[in-house]
Amino acid sequence: MCVPCELCGVNKEKISLTIDGKMIRAEEGARLLWVALDNGIYIPNLCILRSMEMAPAACRLCLVEIDGKSEPVTACTEEVFEGMTVRTATPGVLRLRRRAIELLVASHPTNCPSCGKNRSCQLQSLARHLKLKLKPDRLRPLVQELPIDRSHPALLFDSNKCLLCGRCVWVCKERTGLGILQFTHRGFETRVSTFMDKPLAETGCTGCLECARVCPVGALLPKQ
Ligand code: FES
């Protein structure tokens, strides 16, 4: 059966797939992550937003197993197809997810009570979901000590808390057209910053706070 796509109005074929044993009908080519979430099957995720056309696949938390594929794949990049069989919580997938989140936790400060995002932080929720402590046991903490940018009247930017998910970079470019926030430096030094590491107040940032709205942790916070 064909149904009009919500976005483009073009008729799309409906297909059947199975996720964790549950039979689901979905639009052919829809992204597996959204199909699962819309059908009440939680797959951890951090770096994607519904409005993104291309998934950055940066956090690696949404790994799943698909029959016929030799390796786990990211649900945010996979399109659903007829007869697809997906398993979201196999021991292998859970192990990889735990590793991915341990790495994020190791590079994130853990003074949560003093953070403006405490209790609404996605990293806290994910750690809780995966039954992980926010202080890594196995990994040496990798927290950087970068200066906090308090220059902007509306926005506070603490890049020590940044998980490099890239949501703010995307929203700053695609939503506001400004492209003020960007990835800078390389390797372990990679961070989100501004051109030439200028303070936000000197960049033409309008203070729309879209970046703070999509930041999963307390790296970008409204001052109010
Ligand atoms: S949500 Fe899929 S890799 Fe981040």
Side-chain angles (χ1 to χ4, degrees):
M1 188 181 115
C2 291
V3 289
C5 165
E6 280 174 21
L7 294 175
C8 60
V10 173
N11 279 350
K12 295 244 173 143
E13 191 87 14
K14 280 266 186 181
I15 53 97
S16 301
L17 71 155
T18 309
I19 308 180
D20 294 342
K22 181 176 178 180
M23 178 75 96
I24 288 168
R25 299 273 294 157
E27 222 166 68
E28 185 170 30
R31 287 221 220 137
L32 175 58
L33 177 65
W34 306 132
V35 171
L37 294 177
D38 291 345
N39 283 278
I41 298 168
Y42 179 64
I43 300 176
N45 63 90
L46 192 83
C47 63
I48 183 108
L49 295 167
R50 288 246 183 197
S51 35
M52 286 178 178
E53 258 175 48
M54 295 278 290
C59 72
R60 318 297 292 172
L61 290 174
C62 66
L63 288 169
V64 294
E65 285 182 12
I66 297 176
D67 277 10
K69 301 219 177 206
S70 55
E71 308 243 309
V73 293
T74 45
C76 63
T77 53
E78 285 299 307
E79 293 187 357
V80 297
F81 56 85
E82 177 63 39
M84 187 182 212
T85 303
V86 184
R87 275 159 294 127
T88 70
T90 62
V93 153
L94 292 178
R95 194 173 56 248
L96 289 170
R97 249 183 231 155
R98 287 172 77 90
R99 289 234 180 98
I101 201 152
E102 276 175 350
L103 279 171
L104 292 177
V105 166
S107 60
H108 189 79
T110 49
N111 51 341
C112 299
S114 63
C115 175
K117 203 78 175 228
N118 190 26
R119 295 176 193 278
S120 58
C121 165
Q122 262 184 274
L123 189 60
Q124 285 179 328
S125 314
L126 284 163
R128 208 176 309 122
H129 172 79
L130 294 171
K131 300 192 175 45
L132 279 173
K133 288 188 278 180
L134 276 172
K135 290 205 196 305
D137 290 332
R138 297 187 313 127
L139 295 176
R140 184 170 56 90
L142 304 164
V143 181
Q144 303 190 62
E145 286 188 24
L146 300 167
I148 299 173
D149 184 349
R150 302 176 197 273
S151 65
H152 198 281
L155 189 63
L156 186 138
F157 182 26
D158 182 353
S159 59
N160 299 297
K161 296 179 183 168
C162 176
L163 302 176
L164 299 178
C165 69
R167 285 175 171 192
C168 59
V169 173
W170 180 85
V171 91
C172 190
K173 183 155 193 298
E174 300 300 325
R175 279 291 163 85
T176 69
L178 295 171
I180 288 166
L181 293 173
Q182 47 191 259
F183 285 109
T184 63
H185 304 75
R186 285 173 182 235
F188 180 65
E189 305 280 306
T190 303
R191 56 183 185 259
V192 171
S193 185
T194 58
F195 180 64
M196 305 283 281
D197 287 335
K198 278 189 184 166
L200 274 172
E202 296 172 22
T203 59
C205 168
T206 58
C208 69
L209 300 179
E210 284 286 315
C211 55
R213 193 179 57 76
V214 297
C215 180
V217 291
L220 285 151
L221 284 172
K223 279 196 168 168
Q224 296 301 315

